[in-house]
Amino acid sequence: MAGSRERVRIQGRELVVTNLDKVMYPETGTTKADVLSYYTAVAPVLIPAAVNRPATRKRWVNGVGTAEAPGEMFFQKNLEDSTPGWIPRASIRHKERTNQYPLVNDAATLIWLAQMGSLEIHVPQWRVDPHGNPMNPDRLVLDLDPGEGAGLAECAEVARLARAILKDVGLDPVPVTSGSKGIHLYAGLDGTQGSEQISEFAHELARALEADHPDLAVSDMKKTLRTGKVLVDWSQNNAAKTTIVPYSLRGRLRPTVAAPRTWRELASPALRQLDYREVMRRVKDGKDPFASVSAGGGHVQDNPDGGGSGGGHGAGGRSGGGTADAGSTDPRLEKYRSMRDPEGTPEPFSADRLRADPGAGTIRERFVIQEHHASRLHFDFRLERDGVLVSWALPKGVPVSGAQNHLAVQTEDHPMDYLDFEGTIPKGQYGAGTVSIWDQGYYECDKWIAGKEVIATLTGSEGGGLGGTKRFALIRTSRDSDASQQPEQAQWLIHLMDRRGHGAPPASGAAAGSSTPKEAKEDEPPPAAASSPVFRPMLAGAGTPADLRGMDWQFELKWDGVRALIIGDADRIRLISRNGNDMSASYPELTDRACWPEQSFTADGEIVAVGPSGRPDFGLLQTRMKLTKAPDVARARAATPVRLMVFDLLSDAGEDLRRLPLRKRRVRLEQLDWPSGCPVHLSEVLDDEVEHILESARELGLEGIMAKRLDGRYVSGERTRSWLKLKFERTQEVVVGGWRPGKGLRHSSVGSLLVGIPDGGTLRYVGRVGSGFSDRELTELRLQMDTLARKTSPFTDVPAADASDAHWVTPELVGEVTFGEWTGGGKLRHPVWRGWRLDKNADDVVAESG
């Protein structure tokens, strides 16, 4: 992996790895290329330890730093919008939000995480099933953490004592030197009990060790009790807790590893933590002490007599990994087994099939589509996933074109041997009728959001019903979005896409829940209108598709223009900017009273200029924003026509509508009499699944989309989560606080602007932007800067290198930039100027992301 940027192919996925020569561990000189090489080498043993576990990452984007200057670490759970669709993931519902976690199920995902600076990967002791539902824990873990005055030797001694208790209850634990100070002790479980019971058992075990060895072990977290002892931390068996996955690097000064060890190694007086090179050699030699835990298994007996265990409660778990005997033991198939009599049906009850993959390194799994002549003819659509066949019934068959979507009803998971099943299910048995294979083959998974969305490219057999290779999207549409509910009978739509993923996507049903907060009851009458209501625009927050779960949303395109409140009375139309300025003179074609409804009203919308490509062009709109003189406006109007996209109604004939829910405001908006032939349009509501709307908007080169809660009221002047911006390109409004002279041909003008974001009464410096300006803008820019000159910096923390030749200005002007990402130090990476935001005041600017 020499060089600083390479395009690599891993298991059929193409990744770009960058900054390969970046030093991630300064103390040892270990580079990003070394990190990627390590994770490539250990992928065969790390992935079984992490598979189907929601992964939380600790990211050191710029390396771990030194003891004197530690690198900045980000603790990240949710996936970014820019995450490739092929990354496997699960949506996990928390109290206040739903996060999408990656699942480290393949080497390509592991290397993608490492490329993003994820040195440490942490996972819970439970997995998710193919529907995204958390399963019972399949392993127990004890974190043996030495207090001051104790070390690895004492941890090893406690590990041996714990092992004796665990073996007495039927478990054979494996030690893992944590890569930090202590030892993690793991035992595989068979899955009969939940996290609460496993935690109770682990707590009882810790108390037993403390009672029998009070000078060596402690179960209380208080630091004052841990001096010279080893804390037996049992709490990581809690369902909400995570532990660093075996074989993960640690983000410490040296590149140590959470390394599985043998009990013989633990007995050595020379026991120490291992670094990444040593672990790579061990894996190359075929050593994987953790293999027995990754494979699952084990059982904890009730009321064990474990050498001072104190009669601890029984506990258990389940591997859920799709082992070879999953057909007879995997709880995911319990529903399947309960519905069938093995003596009365020829259907298979085992899953002895081993995964075969002739794809030369490409990630491909098996599928089968069966024609089922039961009481009603339907087709069964089954995809291999984690050792079972995730299944849907298609009452109207497999769609043959993208013009029409078909209903798909999710059914119980089936065992792997159903891939080849054909035959007649006898009368009186569940599903009685004839089953034949319509097509079977392999599929490539393009996206799998468990329990929510699947996109897969199926390649059928020669002469099969598919007629070759087809790409399908399955979108869940039923309203029960609670992941804890059983997936069987959940309604989905199946849509045939073209090979690039185009085509009309499934029509939007009710992919989100329908709960309506008390403060937004639809039937609650609005209060009497105030005599002179003050209207200010409602502001949106930044969001992702994961934020939309559990509520009903309306989707519109995000118009890349200038926000405007439209105030109409009997005589005239006024256009008011977000910061309260009257823009009417700049856009006379939009203030023609004949283009608007006759009654008085207040509406919300966006002024846009459409470029030659047919897309809104914010840069083009800049030529109209500053003009107020009639001759200038007339010339610009002919060269750059604009239109106004109206999306909300705040008042109608004197009635204040802001307390009505959006769904009612939208109806009132559409019921107004809108004259034709004018540059005023209603912003279209897009009736589709959000993922497909985003996909279409991206293909059209648009900025993104808006998601608005249908039960949301209009809150003037506030930024709320009832409106969310889902954008492809990262943008940020900034306040200009200084500039630096240019070089070469730009020596007499501005080379770069120094920009910041208001933060608690100060202006936080976020970087400098020097690209994206036209020559004309640069000339005007120098004149603007000179009129705002001041002697002192308005920022709180400008680096000396940026301040050395800076000229400071009064922080009044607001602009907008695009950028790649936020750096570890909170600066904009690779910002590019988009244009001025004359419609906004400096106080309006907030950090929208990062």
Tab-separated table of all heavy atoms in Angstrom, residues 214-263:
chain	number	residue	atom	x	y	z
A	214	PRO	N	-10.927	-11.663	48.744
A	214	PRO	CA	-11.107	-10.224	49.004
A	214	PRO	C	-9.837	-9.410	48.818
A	214	PRO	O	-9.918	-8.192	48.606
A	214	PRO	CB	-11.593	-10.188	50.456
A	214	PRO	CG	-11.095	-11.472	51.049
A	214	PRO	CD	-11.149	-12.478	49.948
A	215	ASP	N	-8.674	-10.031	48.909
A	215	ASP	CA	-7.426	-9.282	48.722
A	215	ASP	C	-7.019	-9.160	47.257
A	215	ASP	O	-6.048	-8.459	46.935
A	215	ASP	CB	-6.277	-9.959	49.504
A	215	ASP	CG	-6.509	-9.941	51.008
A	215	ASP	OD1	-7.181	-9.007	51.482
A	215	ASP	OD2	-6.030	-10.864	51.689
A	216	LEU	N	-7.742	-9.843	46.386
A	216	LEU	CA	-7.338	-9.877	44.984
A	216	LEU	C	-8.409	-9.288	44.057
A	216	LEU	O	-8.075	-8.584	43.098
A	216	LEU	CB	-7.051	-11.324	44.565
A	216	LEU	CG	-6.613	-11.548	43.119
A	216	LEU	CD1	-5.304	-10.811	42.826
A	216	LEU	CD2	-6.464	-13.042	42.841
A	217	ALA	N	-9.694	-9.559	44.335
A	217	ALA	CA	-10.770	-9.186	43.424
A	217	ALA	C	-11.758	-8.255	44.104
A	217	ALA	O	-11.987	-8.331	45.319
A	217	ALA	CB	-11.497	-10.428	42.911
A	218	VAL	N	-12.370	-7.368	43.311
A	218	VAL	CA	-13.395	-6.467	43.793
A	218	VAL	C	-14.457	-6.344	42.709
A	218	VAL	O	-14.143	-6.364	41.506
A	218	VAL	CB	-12.793	-5.079	44.150
A	218	VAL	CG1	-12.180	-4.410	42.923
A	218	VAL	CG2	-13.846	-4.170	44.753
A	219	SER	N	-15.722	-6.240	43.138
A	219	SER	CA	-16.816	-6.136	42.162
A	219	SER	C	-17.446	-4.756	42.152
A	219	SER	O	-18.298	-4.477	41.312
A	219	SER	CB	-17.904	-7.174	42.470
A	219	SER	OG	-18.499	-6.922	43.737
A	220	ASP	N	-17.027	-3.887	43.050
A	220	ASP	CA	-17.566	-2.530	43.140
A	220	ASP	C	-16.747	-1.597	42.260
A	220	ASP	O	-15.513	-1.658	42.246
A	220	ASP	CB	-17.532	-2.055	44.594
A	220	ASP	CG	-18.419	-0.833	44.815
A	220	ASP	OD1	-18.200	0.172	44.119
A	220	ASP	OD2	-19.316	-0.901	45.671
A	221	MET	N	-17.417	-0.702	41.554
A	221	MET	CA	-16.751	0.175	40.596
A	221	MET	C	-15.951	1.301	41.257
A	221	MET	O	-15.147	1.954	40.594
A	221	MET	CB	-17.791	0.811	39.644
A	221	MET	CG	-18.616	-0.183	38.864
A	221	MET	SD	-17.678	-0.983	37.557
A	221	MET	CE	-18.953	-2.025	36.822
A	222	LYS	N	-16.183	1.577	42.541
A	222	LYS	CA	-15.524	2.712	43.178
A	222	LYS	C	-14.006	2.563	43.142
A	222	LYS	O	-13.449	1.551	43.547
A	222	LYS	CB	-15.989	2.826	44.630
A	222	LYS	CG	-17.466	3.151	44.776
A	222	LYS	CD	-17.877	3.184	46.239
A	222	LYS	CE	-19.366	3.435	46.381
A	222	LYS	NZ	-19.809	3.376	47.798
A	223	LYS	N	-13.336	3.593	42.664
A	223	LYS	CA	-11.877	3.547	42.518
A	223	LYS	C	-11.175	3.402	43.855
A	223	LYS	O	-10.100	2.813	43.948
A	223	LYS	CB	-11.380	4.783	41.781
A	223	LYS	CG	-11.705	4.786	40.300
A	223	LYS	CD	-10.974	5.904	39.570
A	223	LYS	CE	-11.225	5.816	38.072
A	223	LYS	NZ	-10.496	6.877	37.325
A	224	THR	N	-11.781	3.961	44.901
A	224	THR	CA	-11.134	3.906	46.216
A	224	THR	C	-11.015	2.486	46.743
A	224	THR	O	-10.197	2.212	47.622
A	224	THR	CB	-11.939	4.751	47.214
A	224	THR	OG1	-13.305	4.288	47.229
A	224	THR	CG2	-11.908	6.222	46.833
A	225	LEU	N	-11.814	1.557	46.205
A	225	LEU	CA	-11.793	0.170	46.667
A	225	LEU	C	-10.903	-0.716	45.810
A	225	LEU	O	-10.752	-1.899	46.110
A	225	LEU	CB	-13.225	-0.402	46.662
A	225	LEU	CG	-14.264	0.345	47.494
A	225	LEU	CD1	-15.633	-0.287	47.308
A	225	LEU	CD2	-13.875	0.339	48.975
A	226	ARG	N	-10.292	-0.143	44.748
A	226	ARG	CA	-9.623	-0.978	43.755
A	226	ARG	C	-8.112	-1.008	43.895
A	226	ARG	O	-7.439	-1.733	43.144
A	226	ARG	CB	-9.996	-0.473	42.354
A	226	ARG	CG	-11.466	-0.666	42.048
A	226	ARG	CD	-11.931	0.128	40.839
A	226	ARG	NE	-11.176	-0.167	39.655
A	226	ARG	CZ	-11.384	0.402	38.470
A	226	ARG	NH1	-12.340	1.304	38.357
A	226	ARG	NH2	-10.638	0.086	37.434
A	227	THR	N	-7.535	-0.271	44.794
A	227	THR	CA	-6.080	-0.225	44.938
A	227	THR	C	-5.529	-1.618	45.225
A	227	THR	O	-5.950	-2.293	46.171
A	227	THR	CB	-5.688	0.742	46.061
A	227	THR	OG1	-6.220	2.039	45.759
A	227	THR	CG2	-4.174	0.827	46.193
A	228	GLY	N	-4.587	-2.051	44.416
A	228	GLY	CA	-3.944	-3.352	44.588
A	228	GLY	C	-4.816	-4.525	44.216
A	228	GLY	O	-4.413	-5.682	44.433
A	229	LYS	N	-6.006	-4.261	43.644
A	229	LYS	CA	-6.927	-5.346	43.313
A	229	LYS	C	-7.328	-5.277	41.841
A	229	LYS	O	-7.020	-4.316	41.144
A	229	LYS	CB	-8.181	-5.261	44.192
A	229	LYS	CG	-7.907	-5.340	45.683
A	229	LYS	CD	-9.204	-5.210	46.476
A	229	LYS	CE	-8.931	-5.207	47.977
A	229	LYS	NZ	-10.187	-5.080	48.761
A	230	VAL	N	-8.049	-6.299	41.436
A	230	VAL	CA	-8.563	-6.362	40.069
A	230	VAL	C	-10.072	-6.203	40.107
A	230	VAL	O	-10.777	-6.962	40.797
A	230	VAL	CB	-8.191	-7.707	39.398
A	230	VAL	CG1	-8.862	-7.823	38.033
A	230	VAL	CG2	-6.686	-7.847	39.272
A	231	LEU	N	-10.570	-5.204	39.396
A	231	LEU	CA	-12.009	-5.022	39.281
A	231	LEU	C	-12.563	-6.065	38.309
A	231	LEU	O	-12.105	-6.172	37.169
A	231	LEU	CB	-12.336	-3.626	38.763
A	231	LEU	CG	-13.808	-3.387	38.376
A	231	LEU	CD1	-14.719	-3.462	39.594
A	231	LEU	CD2	-13.979	-2.057	37.657
A	232	VAL	N	-13.539	-6.828	38.764
A	232	VAL	CA	-14.259	-7.759	37.880
A	232	VAL	C	-15.492	-7.015	37.378
A	232	VAL	O	-16.540	-6.986	38.020
A	232	VAL	CB	-14.649	-9.042	38.622
A	232	VAL	CG1	-15.336	-10.020	37.663
A	232	VAL	CG2	-13.434	-9.691	39.263
A	233	ASP	N	-15.330	-6.362	36.237
A	233	ASP	CA	-16.398	-5.532	35.678
A	233	ASP	C	-17.368	-6.426	34.917
A	233	ASP	O	-17.076	-6.899	33.818
A	233	ASP	CB	-15.795	-4.465	34.755
A	233	ASP	CG	-16.837	-3.497	34.229
A	233	ASP	OD1	-18.037	-3.691	34.511
A	233	ASP	OD2	-16.461	-2.544	33.516
A	234	TRP	N	-18.518	-6.635	35.522
A	234	TRP	CA	-19.546	-7.498	34.943
A	234	TRP	C	-20.551	-6.712	34.098
A	234	TRP	O	-21.366	-7.287	33.388
A	234	TRP	CB	-20.316	-8.183	36.084
A	234	TRP	CG	-20.798	-7.181	37.105
A	234	TRP	CD1	-20.130	-6.731	38.188
A	234	TRP	CD2	-22.032	-6.462	37.071
A	234	TRP	NE1	-20.862	-5.769	38.857
A	234	TRP	CE2	-22.035	-5.592	38.195
A	234	TRP	CE3	-23.137	-6.456	36.214
A	234	TRP	CZ2	-23.096	-4.730	38.475
A	234	TRP	CZ3	-24.197	-5.608	36.493
A	234	TRP	CH2	-24.170	-4.752	37.622
A	235	SER	N	-20.490	-5.366	34.186
A	235	SER	CA	-21.554	-4.521	33.639
A	235	SER	C	-21.610	-4.521	32.121
A	235	SER	O	-22.613	-4.101	31.537
A	235	SER	CB	-21.388	-3.088	34.140
A	235	SER	OG	-20.222	-2.483	33.584
A	236	GLN	N	-20.540	-4.964	31.455
A	236	GLN	CA	-20.540	-4.910	29.997
A	236	GLN	C	-21.447	-5.966	29.367
A	236	GLN	O	-21.546	-6.052	28.145
A	236	GLN	CB	-19.112	-5.020	29.475
A	236	GLN	CG	-18.290	-3.801	29.867
A	236	GLN	CD	-16.915	-3.785	29.246
A	236	GLN	OE1	-16.753	-4.032	28.062
A	236	GLN	NE2	-15.914	-3.486	30.065
A	237	ASN	N	-22.102	-6.759	30.199
A	237	ASN	CA	-23.124	-7.679	29.693
A	237	ASN	C	-24.481	-7.007	29.585
A	237	ASN	O	-25.421	-7.607	29.063
A	237	ASN	CB	-23.216	-8.899	30.609
A	237	ASN	CG	-21.924	-9.692	30.604
A	237	ASN	OD1	-21.627	-10.429	29.671
A	237	ASN	ND2	-21.133	-9.533	31.663
A	238	ASN	N	-24.579	-5.770	30.076
A	238	ASN	CA	-25.789	-4.977	29.886
A	238	ASN	C	-26.035	-4.800	28.392
A	238	ASN	O	-25.108	-4.581	27.614
A	238	ASN	CB	-25.616	-3.619	30.578
A	238	ASN	CG	-26.865	-2.776	30.537
A	238	ASN	OD1	-27.347	-2.409	29.474
A	238	ASN	ND2	-27.381	-2.448	31.710
A	239	ALA	N	-27.295	-4.867	27.977
A	239	ALA	CA	-27.615	-4.785	26.542
A	239	ALA	C	-27.169	-3.473	25.931
A	239	ALA	O	-26.916	-3.398	24.720
A	239	ALA	CB	-29.114	-4.978	26.337
A	240	ALA	N	-27.047	-2.405	26.740
A	240	ALA	CA	-26.674	-1.092	26.209
A	240	ALA	C	-25.174	-0.876	26.167
A	240	ALA	O	-24.715	0.149	25.651
A	240	ALA	CB	-27.326	0.004	27.058
A	241	LYS	N	-24.389	-1.815	26.692
A	241	LYS	CA	-22.940	-1.640	26.766
A	241	LYS	C	-22.240	-2.334	25.597
A	241	LYS	O	-22.763	-3.274	24.989
A	241	LYS	CB	-22.403	-2.214	28.083
A	241	LYS	CG	-22.858	-1.478	29.329
A	241	LYS	CD	-22.232	-0.106	29.410
A	241	LYS	CE	-22.547	0.581	30.737
A	241	LYS	NZ	-21.838	-0.021	31.868
A	242	THR	N	-21.041	-1.846	25.294
A	242	THR	CA	-20.214	-2.459	24.255
A	242	THR	C	-18.817	-2.708	24.800
A	242	THR	O	-18.384	-2.071	25.759
A	242	THR	CB	-20.109	-1.568	23.008
A	242	THR	OG1	-19.499	-0.327	23.372
A	242	THR	CG2	-21.477	-1.303	22.397
A	243	THR	N	-18.114	-3.638	24.157
A	243	THR	CA	-16.740	-3.981	24.509
A	243	THR	C	-15.930	-3.998	23.224
A	243	THR	O	-16.450	-4.358	22.159
A	243	THR	CB	-16.673	-5.369	25.175
A	243	THR	OG1	-17.631	-5.419	26.235
A	243	THR	CG2	-15.287	-5.643	25.734
A	244	ILE	N	-14.668	-3.641	23.310
A	244	ILE	CA	-13.837	-3.657	22.117
A	244	ILE	C	-13.788	-5.072	21.555
A	244	ILE	O	-13.638	-6.055	22.288
A	244	ILE	CB	-12.422	-3.125	22.409
A	244	ILE	CG1	-11.671	-2.886	21.095
A	244	ILE	CG2	-11.645	-4.034	23.360
A	244	ILE	CD1	-10.425	-2.041	21.255
A	245	VAL	N	-13.975	-5.187	20.244
A	245	VAL	CA	-14.058	-6.507	19.632
A	245	VAL	C	-12.668	-7.143	19.591
A	245	VAL	O	-11.656	-6.454	19.377
A	245	VAL	CB	-14.655	-6.408	18.210
A	245	VAL	CG1	-13.691	-5.766	17.234
A	245	VAL	CG2	-15.088	-7.765	17.696
A	246	PRO	N	-12.567	-8.441	19.855
A	246	PRO	CA	-11.267	-9.105	19.729
A	246	PRO	C	-10.645	-8.871	18.354
A	246	PRO	O	-11.338	-8.876	17.342
A	246	PRO	CB	-11.619	-10.578	19.956
A	246	PRO	CG	-12.813	-10.532	20.865
A	246	PRO	CD	-13.598	-9.343	20.406
A	247	TYR	N	-9.345	-8.628	18.359
A	247	TYR	CA	-8.496	-8.335	17.198
A	247	TYR	C	-8.562	-6.868	16.766
A	247	TYR	O	-7.892	-6.486	15.814
A	247	TYR	CB	-8.823	-9.244	16.007
A	247	TYR	CG	-8.487	-10.691	16.271
A	247	TYR	CD1	-9.481	-11.621	16.517
A	247	TYR	CD2	-7.161	-11.115	16.304
A	247	TYR	CE1	-9.174	-12.950	16.785
A	247	TYR	CE2	-6.840	-12.439	16.572
A	247	TYR	CZ	-7.861	-13.357	16.818
A	247	TYR	OH	-7.539	-14.659	17.090
A	248	SER	N	-9.335	-6.040	17.488
A	248	SER	CA	-9.328	-4.616	17.166
A	248	SER	C	-8.051	-3.969	17.678
A	248	SER	O	-7.525	-4.331	18.739
A	248	SER	CB	-10.527	-3.916	17.806
A	248	SER	OG	-10.429	-2.506	17.644
A	249	LEU	N	-7.551	-2.990	16.914
A	249	LEU	CA	-6.474	-2.134	17.411
A	249	LEU	C	-6.972	-1.302	18.574
A	249	LEU	O	-8.179	-1.115	18.768
A	249	LEU	CB	-5.977	-1.213	16.296
A	249	LEU	CG	-5.089	-1.808	15.217
A	249	LEU	CD1	-5.004	-0.857	14.036
A	249	LEU	CD2	-3.694	-2.099	15.762
A	250	ARG	N	-6.031	-0.766	19.355
A	250	ARG	CA	-6.365	0.199	20.389
A	250	ARG	C	-5.808	1.566	20.001
A	250	ARG	O	-4.745	1.662	19.388
A	250	ARG	CB	-5.772	-0.209	21.751
A	250	ARG	CG	-6.281	-1.529	22.302
A	250	ARG	CD	-7.786	-1.584	22.458
A	250	ARG	NE	-8.342	-0.637	23.390
A	250	ARG	CZ	-8.904	-0.957	24.553
A	250	ARG	NH1	-8.966	-2.226	24.941
A	250	ARG	NH2	-9.432	-0.030	25.322
A	251	GLY	N	-6.524	2.612	20.389
A	251	GLY	CA	-6.077	3.969	20.091
A	251	GLY	C	-5.182	4.501	21.197
A	251	GLY	O	-5.429	5.586	21.736
A	252	ARG	N	-4.152	3.750	21.537
A	252	ARG	CA	-3.201	4.163	22.569
A	252	ARG	C	-1.922	4.656	21.893
A	252	ARG	O	-1.830	4.700	20.654
A	252	ARG	CB	-2.930	3.006	23.525
A	252	ARG	CG	-4.227	2.505	24.192
A	252	ARG	CD	-3.983	1.373	25.166
A	252	ARG	NE	-3.237	1.807	26.341
A	252	ARG	CZ	-3.782	2.429	27.384
A	252	ARG	NH1	-5.068	2.715	27.397
A	252	ARG	NH2	-3.045	2.767	28.415
A	253	LEU	N	-0.934	5.011	22.694
A	253	LEU	CA	0.284	5.570	22.108
A	253	LEU	C	0.985	4.572	21.199
A	253	LEU	O	1.622	4.957	20.224
A	253	LEU	CB	1.229	6.041	23.221
A	253	LEU	CG	0.715	7.204	24.074
A	253	LEU	CD1	1.740	7.578	25.137
A	253	LEU	CD2	0.380	8.412	23.209
A	254	ARG	N	0.885	3.289	21.533
A	254	ARG	CA	1.472	2.237	20.700
A	254	ARG	C	0.344	1.384	20.125
A	254	ARG	O	-0.696	1.201	20.765
A	254	ARG	CB	2.437	1.384	21.511
A	254	ARG	CG	3.581	2.193	22.128
A	254	ARG	CD	4.502	1.305	22.966
A	254	ARG	NE	5.193	0.312	22.140
A	254	ARG	CZ	6.315	0.565	21.482
A	254	ARG	NH1	6.872	1.766	21.540
A	254	ARG	NH2	6.903	-0.373	20.757
A	255	PRO	N	0.517	0.814	18.940
A	255	PRO	CA	-0.560	0.061	18.286
A	255	PRO	C	-0.743	-1.335	18.862
A	255	PRO	O	-0.438	-2.345	18.226
A	255	PRO	CB	-0.111	0.021	16.818
A	255	PRO	CG	1.378	0.086	16.885
A	255	PRO	CD	1.700	0.962	18.062
A	256	THR	N	-1.252	-1.381	20.091
A	256	THR	CA	-1.554	-2.671	20.705
A	256	THR	C	-2.911	-3.157	20.220
A	256	THR	O	-3.682	-2.413	19.607
A	256	THR	CB	-1.540	-2.554	22.227
A	256	THR	OG1	-2.388	-1.456	22.609
A	256	THR	CG2	-0.127	-2.305	22.738
A	257	VAL	N	-3.205	-4.423	20.550
A	257	VAL	CA	-4.393	-5.088	20.020
A	257	VAL	C	-5.123	-5.803	21.154
A	257	VAL	O	-4.486	-6.325	22.079
A	257	VAL	CB	-3.998	-6.105	18.928
A	257	VAL	CG1	-5.194	-6.939	18.480
A	257	VAL	CG2	-3.383	-5.386	17.732
A	258	ALA	N	-6.447	-5.843	21.087
A	258	ALA	CA	-7.233	-6.719	21.957
A	258	ALA	C	-7.056	-8.133	21.418
A	258	ALA	O	-7.754	-8.548	20.493
A	258	ALA	CB	-8.700	-6.304	21.957
A	259	ALA	N	-6.098	-8.865	21.979
A	259	ALA	CA	-5.597	-10.103	21.363
A	259	ALA	C	-6.054	-11.346	22.123
A	259	ALA	O	-5.722	-11.512	23.309
A	259	ALA	CB	-4.070	-10.078	21.313
A	260	PRO	N	-6.798	-12.247	21.493
A	260	PRO	CA	-7.143	-13.523	22.123
A	260	PRO	C	-5.882	-14.328	22.435
A	260	PRO	O	-4.943	-14.380	21.625
A	260	PRO	CB	-8.002	-14.218	21.067
A	260	PRO	CG	-8.583	-13.092	20.256
A	260	PRO	CD	-7.486	-12.069	20.198
A	261	ARG	N	-5.881	-14.975	23.604
A	261	ARG	CA	-4.702	-15.719	24.061
A	261	ARG	C	-5.115	-17.118	24.493
A	261	ARG	O	-6.298	-17.421	24.706
A	261	ARG	CB	-4.046	-14.985	25.241
A	261	ARG	CG	-3.813	-13.496	25.036
A	261	ARG	CD	-2.843	-13.206	23.887
A	261	ARG	NE	-1.482	-13.520	24.236
A	261	ARG	CZ	-0.629	-12.680	24.804
A	261	ARG	NH1	-1.017	-11.428	25.095
A	261	ARG	NH2	0.615	-13.031	25.076
A	262	THR	N	-4.124	-17.988	24.652
A	262	THR	CA	-4.360	-19.321	25.201
A	262	THR	C	-4.136	-19.292	26.711
A	262	THR	O	-3.470	-18.388	27.243
A	262	THR	CB	-3.417	-20.345	24.566
A	262	THR	OG1	-2.065	-20.034	24.948
A	262	THR	CG2	-3.529	-20.320	23.042
A	263	TRP	N	-4.664	-20.289	27.402
A	263	TRP	CA	-4.465	-20.351	28.851
A	263	TRP	C	-3.001	-20.630	29.188
A	263	TRP	O	-2.505	-20.197	30.240
A	263	TRP	CB	-5.388	-21.397	29.471
A	263	TRP	CG	-6.804	-20.899	29.508
A	263	TRP	CD1	-7.823	-21.245	28.689
A	263	TRP	CD2	-7.332	-19.919	30.406
A	263	TRP	NE1	-8.970	-20.560	29.003
A	263	TRP	CE2	-8.694	-19.735	30.067
A	263	TRP	CE3	-6.795	-19.178	31.448
A	263	TRP	CZ2	-9.514	-18.844	30.744
A	263	TRP	CZ3	-7.611	-18.299	32.138
A	263	TRP	CH2	-8.947	-18.131	31.791
